[in-house]
Amino acid sequence: MSSYQKDTGTPEYQNISDANSGAAPSAKKWWARTDVYVCVGFMVIIGGIIGLHKAVGYDPQAIIDGAMSNNSPVVMKGDGTLALFDDNQRYVMEDYDARSTFASFLPGVAGYFGKPVWAFYVNRGQAIATFGTESKETPILEFNPANKAYQLTPFLGFRTFVRGTRSDGSSFETEPFSASTARTLSSDDDKENENKPKRILYVGTNEMEIEEIDGQTGLAVNVQYFVMPEEDFASLVRRTTFSNVGDTPMTIEALDGLARMEPYGGKLDWSLKNMGRTLEGWMGVYHADDTLTKPFYKLSTETGDSAQIKIEEAGHYCLSFIEDEVNQAPLLPIIYDTSKVFGKDTSLDLPRGLMTSSVEEILSNPQYGWAKTSSAFAAITDITLQPGETITVASIYGKAENIVDVDRIGAHVTVPGYVSKKFTLARTMIDELAAGVDTTTVNPLFDGTIKQMFLDNGLRGGFPTILGNVDSDTTYDEDPGVKVYHSFSRIHGDLERDYNAFKIVPTYFSQGPGNYRDIAQNRRNDVTFFPRMGSFDIQMFLSYIQADGYEPLTVEAVVYRFEDPDAAVRVAKSVTNDATSAETLGEVLKGGAFRPGQLFQLCEELSINLGVTKEIFINKILSEAEDRAMAVYGQGYWADHWDYYIDLIEAYLAVFPDGEEALMYDKPLRYFFSTATVKPRSEKYVLTMTYDGKSFHVQQLDATYFDDEKVDEQEAFRNDNTGLIGIEASWQRTADGLPFMSSGITKLFILGALKYSTRDAWGCGVEYEGGRPGWLDSMNGLPGMVGSGMPETYEMKLLLEYVLKVVSTYERDIIVPTEIAQMVDTVNEALDTLLAAGLSEPTIEDFENDVPPELFTYWDTVASARENYRNDVEYYFSGDTRALAASDVVSMITRWLDQIDLGIERSFQIGTVGFEDDGTSGIPATFFAYEITTWEENDNKSTVGLPCVNAKSMKVLKFPLFLEGPVRYMKVIKDDKERMKDIYDRVKTSGLRDTKLDMYFLSASLEGQTFDMGRQIAFAPGWLENQSIWLHMSYKYYLQLLKGKLYEEFFSEMRGGGILPFMDPVVYGRSLMECSSFIASSAFPDPSIVGEGFLARLSGSTAEFMDMWKFMFLGPELFSLDEEGELTMTLMPALPSWLFVDDDDETLVATYDKDGNPVVTFKLFASIPVTYHNPGGKDLFGLPPKKYEIAMAEGPLVIVDGPSVGAEVASAVRRMTTVKAIDAYF
């Protein structure tokens, strides 16, 4: 068998000639490092091995080949190369540490009743670059950004040192996974690489493993990592397996563990990086007993320089043992004194201490862990392995609240078979979490990608969990006892997104806060997979709409509270087993808002004894409690946060079309109350010097301000007992102190009216007047340029069209606050005046950039009305309302939509301008800006004392092409297939197409553009947002092709490499099952990284991918109402033939039914298997089945001839509990 070395000149793994496999191994590279010493009669080169007594004919490559065939989980293809996934459906990266760098992470999911750690890894060294609890402020291994992690991980992370002897007299010392013995893929010397170890990285959904097979020593080492599931102690599990793959017995001693282990002591990230040496003064290694097996790493006190001292009791621990499936495993001693291993080598490059001592000698001498950063190496001595034999050293790294907990944890984890069972649970737990998209096509890599995308989508948006009345089939809308709680979410901070402060709370039902736009997008299809949640997401997000038409930045987890104290006391008695516990729990439940994890934490701290299981405990409490959404203002008002509401509503209506009227009219919603206020134009149009200092111009600066009077309003809700501000402070009230509430349709109408009144002076884009841009937040300078966006215009059109449809359908009045009614009156009067002026529309031939006086006056009048409205509701609503008749609303919105359409037409006339762009592409523009050409100063000053002005005239400025423009435009023309195809063809032949990668740039070339637009242009072309391939926007584009029924175009783009997993694995540089945020495009100056993915996983592209899955497998409307208003179900997939049978790849084996028809299967609602039977294996593009066979839990098989299923069975499918399976025949 040959090696599996990748030839960088070809796209496939190539066999390496083994013609000289019997020759003596070359020593050329071994001598490149001169750290040679003699120890116990054998010569060692650290990182490589020269045995003094090797047997004649010793063949390292043969050992590697044998181990790969017999011991490794890899899948060998018929041509001798490795498959991209192993027999556990894990992604395989061969020679991982010789390839381009990438960073990723373990999910950080420990189960609903587990406490997680976070862990990030890179493809260098032993992979784990950093891990810890809660956030990077509390690391066990220090957090470093990716560029440093790639350098430091092989030295400061996990390390393994092995000293071995064989029965034939040969001996060795080696460091598996050492950077010095990584293969060189660009080398022409095949024999050189054959003499180096073979290394493979395996990426699973909830695990990561590395493997090294060393033909020189006959030693194979596998290291596996996973987060401990379903335990009350947060920990990372590391399993190091040593295998004798030689043909003689081998005796080894080894050190295996962390080169640097940080202590616990509060928030340490800043101190570690800025005063690390001083911080070491607080550090110490304590011990749970008088052995070396239970070290406890902590600071003596927290480091704050104040009169109040906090003694630190919590700490980090390391427990190691050799796994035993039969007997309780004894703990191994831990070497924590770094100098005993590395001596004076402060780089931690060479184990100079170990080079001069045996492991036993180190253990028999004193160690010191004070005033320095320590290590955590498990010490293994005198282990003999027969050929083919293995041992596995398990190490548990985590945090305990007190040193006394370490004994309990140690006794718990060393029971027979404990770790292997936990590993199995870690796998099955994630499989169950991702069961909503169990899919089986002919392509297992595609199926695995679906699962991974679903997982990553949930990690950013949260996995909706039904709590409370869990045993019924009722929905959140039907039963107040049904609660929805999103678990396992977090903001997307990681090694590459080092700017984001991620947080994964180490409690049961763990979760962390997330950015508004992230959560809103990634929860888009919650109801598609979890129909019992009903309209929960829509009600929550619509409640976040503020009176001013903006939303907060950060979404936090839902909280629960008891309005009725008697109910709290009653439920507390029912779930505890003694009077004291009942009384204590009752006081907790009456005391304020709580989350599930916090409640369990309080039960631990207050010694509340449960009288029922944890599941019954939390469900019984939440069934009686009421829920309340939570959010935090953050900073600035992003212009796109509201863009995602129609997507949420459409997803809901595809499952509950019969719930629309109640959702829109009968569910009162609150208004979020932020502590920031948008300034009027007179206070944010600032006269400042141009960047060249030669003239003055007007910019829109400091558009929002922190409103101290709003803070004072919130102070009224501060709890005297806890000192905390109550949750009611976050919701707007009337002057009488009552929460002001409106229906969903009212809130959407207000939102639409405010956005309509925020259109720019030409009536094209929606102004970025809140200080922040839209989705493309790298255009951070655009608000300063008095910028506007067409993406928001297209979304506004969709929003108002939806309001128009609802009001027209149900013909019910809309009850609005009088303040918005007055604003709307002014807006409509201004429109009457504009129309009476008879302004003629310019054509592209005579188009002038200057805003016509009539339009400027209209813009100024409408903007003033908006500002007056915001001033009226800045602190309170009056509480007075006005009923708008449905007919009046229809007439009003129809007129507004006419004006919006005019603005869209004008935007095509204005067009774009840029490098090699003359403005005639016919592709929708994305952004405009406005130069205020005349102005007059007013009496206001900016925050830095610059004069503020009132605009008197302005002209429009143009930008290059951005992909977001056509993406959003396609949403409003999706039913016009001819127009869709025209835009697609134009985009494909424009500067938005990367012809080298066959993908789409986020923007066309920005050459010659002003730096005023923001960081968009600060980066090198092809990097980050500057003309890169931004997967989220690309996926949005592909999704619109699918929604617009351009099936051939969509699947051509997908299989052509635009969508995972169909990219080139070598070029992409990371798992083909995992999205990255962007791909370095061909515009990047360095061609060696063109096509590589950067910024791992938690991006909005997963939301778009799951939408693609929905449209591919379910169709656009799974449920709908027929002409009689009855519920029907129609499956209408869009699946290409090559997902049933792929004749282009002989390794992909199709599945057939009993009649010989190829089939594809998937899970509906995570519970109902659906099988598509496809005679002839044809394309199924927008075709409904000819027949359904529906197996019920009880009763006969239901057979439905025709494309749709009627009301009774459709309702049963939606409730899930009585339907076993669905077969659809095409």
Side-chain angles (χ1 to χ4, degrees):
M1 185 181 293
S2 301
S3 175
Y4 318 99
Q5 167 77 35
K6 171 68 179 64
D7 181 346
T8 56
T10 66
E12 300 294 336
Y13 291 102
Q14 304 296 318
N15 294 335
I16 295 174
S17 171
D18 57 356
N20 297 316
S21 61
S26 167
K28 180 177 72 172
K29 286 292 184 182
W30 303 130
W31 302 109
R33 238 175 124 164
T34 57
D35 299 300
V36 181
Y37 64 96
V38 175
C39 175
V40 200
F42 51 86
M43 182 185 300
V44 178
I45 300 178
I46 296 298
I49 301 88
I50 298 294
L52 293 184
H53 304 290
K54 284 192 300 190
V56 177
Y58 189 74
D59 186 352
Q61 186 59 48
I63 289 179
I64 292 175
D65 290 343
M68 294 285 286
S69 298
N70 301 322
N71 304 101
S72 180
V74 296
V75 174
M76 304 297 300
K77 295 197 289 187
D79 60 0
T81 62
L82 299 188
L84 290 174
F85 46 91
D86 70 1
D87 51 11
N88 293 308
Q89 295 302 303
R90 299 180 300 178
Y91 188 79
V92 175
M93 178 175 283
E94 188 178 10
D95 300 318
Y96 70 88
D97 57 344
R99 302 191 179 280
S100 296
T101 53
F102 80 91
S104 191
F105 52 89
L106 295 177
V109 174
Y112 293 110
F113 296 103
K115 298 181 179 181
V117 296
W118 49 266
F120 299 100
Y121 63 85
V122 298
N123 60 329
R124 291 296 182 267
Q126 296 198 35
I128 294 292
T130 177
F131 68 103
T133 56
E134 191 157 356
S135 74
K136 59 185 176 184
E137 293 288 356
T138 50
I140 297 175
L141 174 59
E142 183 184 356
F143 180 94
N144 283 293
N147 60 323
K148 294 181 180 178
Y150 298 140
Q151 298 172 338
L152 298 175
T153 299
F155 302 101
L156 305 186
F158 286 102
R159 307 280 292 273
T160 306
F161 303 103
V162 183
R163 177 178 287 138
T165 59
R166 289 194 172 274
S167 60
D168 62 4
S170 62
S171 17
F172 63 87
E173 290 191 1
T174 185
E175 180 185 356
F177 308 104
S178 168
S180 65
T181 49
R183 293 190 171 194
T184 305
L185 298 189
S186 59
S187 172
D188 293 329
D189 187 349
D190 292 342
K191 185 56 62 178
E192 170 203 331
N193 280 321
E194 287 186 3
N195 288 328
K196 292 183 178 180
K198 185 67 182 176
R199 294 174 184 163
I200 301 174
L201 171 70
Y202 304 90
V203 179
T205 50
N206 198 28
E207 67 192 87
M208 187 269 297
E209 181 178 343
I210 54 175
E211 177 180 32
E212 173 179 298
I213 305 170
D214 191 338
Q216 293 282 340
T217 63
L219 174 68
V221 180
N222 287 64
V223 181
Q224 185 182 77
Y225 302 97
F226 64 94
V227 173
M228 179 72 78
E230 299 290 339
E231 289 289 4
D232 64 356
F233 50 91
S235 57
L236 177 72
V237 182
R238 169 182 164 93
R239 305 172 83 189
T240 305
T241 299
F242 300 94
S243 302
N244 182 1
V245 295
D247 54 9
T248 59
M250 175 176 65
T251 299
I252 62 171
E253 64 173 12
L255 297 183
D256 182 73
L258 267 182
R260 289 178 68 95
M261 180 145 168
E262 304 299 343
Y264 185 81
K267 296 182 177 181
L268 296 184
D269 188 60
W270 185 92
S271 297
L272 287 169
K273 291 172 173 56
N274 294 278
M275 48 174 277
R277 182 63 187 118
T278 302
L279 182 67
E280 286 184 321
W282 277 267
M283 295 182 182
V285 179
Y286 303 78
H287 297 274
D289 60 17
D290 57 1
T291 70
L292 295 174
T293 61
K294 302 170 188 174
F296 198 61
Y297 304 72
K298 71 182 188 73
L299 303 188
S300 55
T301 67
E302 291 198 358
T303 59
D305 187 16
S306 68
Q308 186 175 17
I309 307 301
K310 180 181 177 182
I311 297 174
E312 190 56 73
E313 293 187 353
H316 294 147
Y317 61 83
C318 169
L319 300 168
S320 296
F321 51 93
I322 296 174
E323 290 187 36
D324 195 322
E325 298 297 314
V326 178
N327 302 304
Q328 184 94 17
L331 291 172
L332 294 170
I334 303 298
I335 296 177
Y336 57 87
D337 188 337
T338 306
S339 66
K340 303 301 181 184
V341 180
F342 295 98
K344 300 300 182 183
D345 188 349
T346 54
S347 70
L348 308 191
D349 183 17
L350 299 176
R352 295 189 182 275
L354 182 61
M355 288 162 62
T356 57
S357 303
S358 68
V359 172
E360 285 285 6
E361 288 171 338
I362 294 176
L363 291 173
S364 64
N365 286 299
Q367 298 185 59
Y368 306 100
W370 305 103
K372 62 181 179 180
T373 305
S374 297
S375 300
F377 284 102
I380 303 104
T381 59
D382 198 25
I383 297 291
T384 298
L385 299 175
Q386 299 298 319
E389 191 176 3
T390 68
I391 62 161
T392 298
V393 177
S395 297
I396 316 295
Y397 295 84
K399 175 197 170 187
E401 295 303 319
N402 193 289
I403 195 170
V404 299
D405 296 331
V406 179
D407 265 330
R408 174 182 64 86
I409 296 171
H412 185 67
V413 301
T414 53
V415 299
Y418 173 84
V419 175
S420 58
K421 290 176 183 176
K422 284 295 181 181
F423 175 64
T424 299
L425 177 59
R427 277 185 170 174
T428 57
M429 178 185 70
I430 288 294
D431 288 342
E432 291 170 1
L433 204 59
V437 289
D438 274 352
T439 304
T440 304
T441 67
V442 71
N443 190 327
L445 186 58
F446 179 68
D447 303 340
T449 302
I450 294 169
K451 179 179 176 181
Q452 185 68 56
M453 294 289 183
F454 183 81
L455 175 65
D456 287 348
N457 186 73
L459 291 179
R460 192 163 96 144
F463 291 89
T465 308
I466 300 299
L467 298 173
N469 290 346
V470 296
D471 294 329
S472 71
D473 62 2
T474 55
T475 69
Y476 178 81
D477 298 315
E478 297 169 330
D479 182 357
V482 172
K483 300 299 190 298
V484 180
Y485 189 78
H486 284 81
S487 300
F488 313 135
S489 62
R490 79 291 304 269
I491 195 172
H492 57 340
D494 51 60
L495 300 181
E496 294 180 279
R497 299 182 187 91
D498 41 25
Y499 51 85
N500 266 342
F502 66 88
K503 185 176 183 181
I504 303 175
V505 182
T507 64
Y508 296 166
F509 292 91
S510 173
Q511 48 68 45
N515 286 336
Y516 194 94
R517 77 154 61 95
D518 302 346
I519 299 293
Q521 291 179 95
N522 287 73
R523 291 186 185 177
R524 180 189 310 161
N525 277 305
D526 277 3
V527 70
T528 304
F529 303 108
F530 306 97
R532 286 195 67 193
M533 66 184 300
S535 65
F536 170 86
D537 280 338
I538 297 172
Q539 292 188 59
M540 182 181 73
F541 280 106
L542 294 190
S543 72
Y544 287 139
I545 300 173
Q546 300 170 178
D548 60 6
Y550 286 104
E551 295 88 0
L553 172 63
T554 303
V555 175
E556 297 197 331
V558 169
V559 297
Y560 300 94
R561 58 188 295 236
F562 278 85
E563 189 72 28
D564 180 2
D566 292 336
V569 171
R570 184 180 68 254
V571 74
K573 290 179 179 178
S574 71
V575 295
T576 52
N577 64 4
D578 61 79
T580 300
S581 294
E583 181 180 1
T584 304
L585 179 59
E587 292 301 316
V588 168
L589 298 180
K590 290 187 295 182
F594 60 89
R595 295 186 175 105
Q598 293 171 330
L599 188 59
F600 280 107
Q601 193 79 20
L602 285 170
C603 287
E604 290 180 21
E605 295 172 0
L606 300 176
S607 300
I608 296 172
N609 299 314
L610 307 189
V612 294
T613 65
K614 294 192 290 288
E615 291 86 352
I616 294 175
F617 172 81
I618 195 62
N619 286 324
K620 195 166 184 62
I621 289 174
L622 294 190
S623 68
E624 301 274 351
E626 65 176 39
D627 56 7
R628 189 65 57 82
M630 291 290 289
V632 177
Y633 156 65
Q635 52 181 332
Y637 288 127
W638 269 260
D640 69 317
H641 281 181
W642 60 277
D643 288 3
Y644 313 110
Y645 299 150
I646 295 302
D647 292 337
L648 286 164
I649 291 170
E650 287 179 346
Y652 169 79
L653 293 178
V655 181
F656 292 100
D658 46 347
E660 182 176 59
E661 183 176 8
L663 171 63
M664 286 294 110
Y665 287 96
D666 303 332
K667 298 183 185 299
L669 303 171
R670 298 169 183 257
Y671 291 77
F672 195 77
F673 186 66
S674 283
T675 52
T677 296
V678 180
K679 293 179 180 177
R681 292 162 298 156
S682 61
E683 296 177 19
K684 62 187 177 185
Y685 282 8
V686 178
L687 187 62
T688 181
M689 294 193 75
T690 56
Y691 288 108
D692 59 11
K694 296 180 180 179
S695 59
F696 288 88
H697 64 162
V698 176
Q699 288 192 300
Q700 181 176 240
L701 302 175
D702 301 320
T704 62
Y705 70 96
F706 189 75
D707 197 327
D708 289 327
E709 292 187 47
K710 287 185 174 180
V711 176
D712 292 340
E713 287 295 319
Q714 292 186 334
E715 279 295 323
F717 293 90
R718 190 174 294 280
N719 186 298
D720 292 336
N721 294 324
T722 65
L724 301 176
I725 292 178
I727 60 175
E728 294 300 324
S730 295
W731 305 99
Q732 190 146 357
R733 309 183 304 282
T734 66
D736 296 330
L738 300 174
F740 188 79
M741 304 178 79
S742 297
S743 66
I745 194 64
T746 295
K747 296 205 74 174
L748 290 177
F749 173 79
I750 293 173
L751 179 64
L754 286 169
K755 299 309 173 185
Y756 176 78
S757 71
T758 314
R759 293 184 306 143
D760 61 28
W762 265 110
C764 297
V766 174
E767 292 182 315
Y768 296 136
E769 50 100 40
R772 299 288 183 175
W775 177 91
L776 189 55
D777 53 19
S778 56
M779 295 289 285
N780 55 296
L782 192 53
M785 300 175 72
V786 194
S788 65
M790 291 304 298
E792 286 68 39
T793 295
Y794 300 129
E795 296 293 343
M796 173 178 57
K797 177 178 169 65
L798 294 171
L799 170 64
L800 288 173
E801 286 177 341
Y802 178 72
V803 174
L804 179 63
K805 185 207 84 167
V806 169
V807 175
S808 299
T809 300
Y810 302 107
E811 298 180 339
R812 292 172 61 173
D813 294 350
I814 295 180
I815 311 301
V816 302
T818 55
E819 294 89 344
I820 197 69
Q822 292 165 0
M823 186 202 87
V824 166
D825 288 343
T826 304
V827 169
N828 289 330
E829 290 167 4
L831 180 55
D832 291 338
T833 302
L834 175 64
L835 294 176
L839 178 69
S840 60
E841 287 299 312
T843 65
I844 196 167
E845 289 79 14
D846 60 7
F847 189 86
E848 297 290 340
N849 292 337
D850 293 312
V851 177
E854 299 90 341
L855 282 178
F856 182 86
T857 299
Y858 172 77
W859 168 81
D860 188 43
T861 302
V862 169
S864 296
R866 181 185 72 244
E867 291 166 352
N868 291 337
Y869 160 75
R870 285 178 176 162
N871 183 69
D872 291 343
V873 298
E874 184 173 355
Y875 303 110
Y876 305 104
F877 284 104
S878 67
D880 297 329
T881 60
R882 185 198 297 181
L884 301 182
S887 58
D888 292 338
V889 173
V890 168
S891 175
M892 184 189 315
I893 293 179
T894 300
R895 289 182 30 160
W896 292 357
L897 287 169
D898 289 342
Q899 292 301 305
I900 291 169
D901 288 339
L902 273 176
I904 292 173
E905 291 177 15
R906 290 180 194 139
S907 74
F908 279 90
Q909 299 289 337
I910 298 171
T912 59
V913 64
F915 181 72
E916 297 183 346
D917 178 7
D918 62 2
T920 62
S921 68
I923 297 172
T926 304
F927 303 117
F928 299 115
Y930 284 82
E931 178 185 341
I932 296 175
T933 51
T934 60
W935 63 83
E936 64 180 17
E937 294 187 25
N938 57 43
D939 296 331
N940 298 315
K941 300 291 183 182
S942 74
T943 54
V944 295
L946 294 174
C948 295
V949 306
N950 298 326
K952 293 301 179 182
S953 65
M954 54 178 61
K955 68 178 181 180
V956 68
L957 305 176
K958 309 174 188 180
F959 287 88
L961 288 168
F962 289 79
L963 187 59
E964 188 178 5
V967 166
R968 304 276 189 170
Y969 179 65
M970 281 179 162
K971 294 181 73 172
V972 304
I973 63 166
K974 66 181 177 64
D975 295 327
D976 185 345
K977 190 171 182 179
E978 183 177 347
R979 181 62 172 149
M980 285 284 295
K981 182 65 164 62
D982 175 63
I983 293 296
Y984 172 75
D985 290 339
R986 291 175 184 272
V987 170
K988 193 169 184 178
T989 56
S990 74
L992 290 172
R993 178 74 169 181
D994 188 331
T995 55
K996 181 176 180 179
L997 294 177
D998 287 335
M999 298 178 185
Y1000 294 92
F1001 296 121
L1002 181 61
S1003 70
S1005 172
L1006 301 181
E1007 183 177 331
Q1009 297 300 306
T1010 174
F1011 278 90
D1012 285 358
M1013 69 171 59
R1015 70 176 185 272
Q1016 177 79 25
I1017 198 171
F1019 309 120
W1023 189 257
L1024 286 170
E1025 288 97 338
N1026 186 353
Q1027 205 183 351
S1028 71
I1029 312 299
W1030 204 267
L1031 261 65
H1032 188 185
M1033 189 52 65
S1034 293
Y1035 277 26
K1036 281 181 179 290
Y1037 181 68
Y1038 299 135
L1039 175 61
Q1040 294 315 311
L1041 301 182
L1042 185 59
K1043 287 185 172 182
K1045 300 181 180 178
L1046 298 183
Y1047 301 122
E1048 297 289 350
E1049 291 79 1
F1050 170 78
F1051 288 110
S1052 174
E1053 297 282 3
M1054 171 185 271
R1055 210 177 188 192
I1059 301 176
L1060 292 170
F1062 299 103
M1063 297 179 186
D1064 185 318
V1066 176
V1067 176
Y1068 186 57
R1070 61 178 69 215
S1071 170
L1072 289 180
M1073 298 180 185
E1074 297 177 354
C1075 268
S1076 49
S1077 276
F1078 79 93
I1079 291 173
S1081 74
S1082 62
F1084 192 68
D1086 181 356
S1088 68
I1089 67 166
V1090 168
E1092 283 188 30
F1094 297 90
L1095 309 188
R1097 295 171 60 180
L1098 301 190
S1099 79
S1101 26
T1102 60
E1104 313 308 328
F1105 190 94
M1106 295 323 302
D1107 230 6
M1108 294 177 202
W1109 182 92
K1110 178 177 78 172
F1111 276 81
M1112 288 173 64
F1113 287 86
L1114 304 182
E1117 290 184 330
L1118 180 59
F1119 295 95
S1120 59
L1121 301 179
D1122 63 19
E1123 293 180 356
E1124 286 74 38
E1126 293 294 318
L1127 185 71
T1128 65
M1129 183 190 80
T1130 306
L1131 292 165
M1132 193 167 298
L1135 294 172
S1137 61
W1138 48 263
L1139 284 178
F1140 289 88
V1141 179
D1142 192 344
D1143 293 329
D1144 295 335
D1145 189 339
E1146 62 183 16
T1147 67
L1148 301 181
V1149 181
T1151 303
Y1152 296 87
D1153 64 16
K1154 60 183 176 57
D1155 297 320
N1157 300 314
V1159 297
V1160 159
T1161 63
F1162 63 92
K1163 279 277 186 69
L1164 179 62
F1165 304 148
S1167 63
I1168 303 174
V1170 177
T1171 302
Y1172 286 153
H1173 302 257
N1174 183 9
K1178 56 185 177 293
D1179 292 331
L1180 299 182
F1181 289 164
L1183 298 174
K1186 296 177 180 178
K1187 182 179 75 170
Y1188 297 85
E1189 291 183 354
I1190 302 173
M1192 309 300 288
E1194 296 180 0
L1197 185 72
V1198 176
I1199 299 175
V1200 178
D1201 290 317
S1204 300
V1205 175
E1208 182 179 354
V1209 178
S1211 179
V1213 171
R1214 195 169 63 180
R1215 291 198 180 275
M1216 300 174 286
T1217 53
T1218 61
V1219 177
K1220 290 176 57 179
I1222 299 174
D1223 286 84
Y1225 297 85
F1226 292 84

